[in-house]
Amino acid sequence: MTIQAIPGAAQASPSQTVRKPVQTMDSEVFMQLLVTQLRYQDPSAPMDTNQMMSQSVQLSMMEKMTELTAGSKESFSLQMRTAAAQIIGTTVDYALADGTKGSGTATSVSFAEGIPLVSIGDRKVPLDSITGITAGPSAA
């Protein structure tokens, strides 16, 4: 027995990409859930106003926490950039993830990557791989 396709029904082809599910709940998802809940509520027994207020407060708190997290990440990034810039001209020791160790004078810093890269001789060393800093010669 053969099964025939239903006319007009979408058929998935192997070349179509499957959408990856969202793993976080943002304010858009929260609002969609709230609107859906309101749309399908029983008119003879509407949602309790205390519940609605509680959910609105939760949404507001979630948005504020998201803003706070973004601000914290930005502040940390600025602190890393400032720290990286301050070590230019100093002698630094480093240990890379592959076990390579070395030292040299920090000559410049690149902020193109997520973690600042410090130029030490011909090597670019991530800021978080620097293990020690020795002040350069003091100016007389």
Side-chain angles (χ1 to χ4, degrees), residues 25-36 59 63:
M25 185 171 165
D26 60 1
S27 59
E28 184 178 324
V29 171
F30 190 90
M31 286 304 291
Q32 287 176 347
L33 288 171
L34 183 60
V35 168
T36 302
L59 172 62
E63 288 176 340

Side-chain angles (χ1 to χ4, degrees), residues 21 23 25 51 73 79 95-96 115 126 140:
Q23 298 296 320
M25 185 171 165
Q51 272 187 325
K73 286 180 180 179
Q79 288 175 346
L96 300 176
I115 295 175

